């Protein structure tokens, strides 16, 4: 029985819009309070405008009033699970610093990280308070 958050990320992956890379990514976030927010990558013909699955989910959740997430799942159809890109790690850090991150593939492999492991020595709002 897969983790329900991984199952949600797999559903999101199926909704990915990835006609250019064909690399479909699904993410699901569990907000404090239990709400699950899903996101997929959405690609643009102007390639640089593409949005990753993780950030799609973060922006959806935050814009709906969920600003703190406790668990993250990312699903791809790859031989080994896919780690989030650097940009997504930064945003995840800002809204899910204490989260457990489950990286999974469709074969059922799961790798577990914490956000702290994925982004040590992070930049965040704390640094902005320290300028002179
Ligand atoms: N992608 C994600 O959705 N999340 C990541 O963390 C890495 C990359 C997407 C962006 C693009 O649509 C495709 O994967 C190939 O880079």
């Amino acid at each position: 029985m897969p983790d329900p958050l991984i199952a949600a990320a797999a559903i999101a992956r199926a909704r990915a819009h990835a006609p250019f890379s064909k690399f479909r990514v699904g993410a699901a976030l569990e907000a404090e309070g239990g709400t699950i927010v899903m996101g997929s990558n959405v690609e643009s013909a102007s390639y640089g405008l593409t949005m990753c699955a993780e950030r799609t989910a973060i922006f959806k959740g935050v814009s709906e009033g969920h600003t703190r997430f406790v668990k993250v799942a990312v699903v791809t159809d790859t031989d080994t699970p896919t780690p989030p890109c650097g940009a997504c790690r930064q945003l995840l850090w800002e809204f899910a610093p204490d989260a457990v991150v489950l990286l999974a593939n469709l074969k059922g492999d799961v790798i577990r990280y914490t956000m702290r492991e994925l982004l040590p020595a992070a930049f965040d709002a704390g640094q902005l308070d320290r300028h002179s």
Side-chain angles (χ1 to χ4, degrees), residues 52-127:
C52 291
E54 298 91 324
R55 281 178 289 154
T56 298
I58 292 169
F59 294 143
K60 279 180 63 187
V62 171
S63 62
E64 291 175 9
H66 304 288
T67 54
R68 198 88 174 169
F69 303 97
V70 296
K71 194 170 169 185
V72 177
V74 180
V75 170
T76 50
D77 184 12
T78 46
D79 194 41
T80 56
T82 303
C85 79
C88 290
R89 291 181 199 209
Q90 176 65 33
L91 264 292
L92 286 166
W93 176 259
E94 293 181 51
F95 294 101
D98 300 317
V100 168
V101 180
L102 302 178
L103 308 178
N105 60 16
L106 295 184
K107 295 189 297 176
D109 300 319
V110 180
I111 303 174
R112 181 191 184 282
Y113 287 102
T114 63
M115 264 321 295
R116 252 166 242 288
E117 290 169 335
L118 288 175
L119 195 63
F123 173 84
D124 59 23
Q127 269 77 43

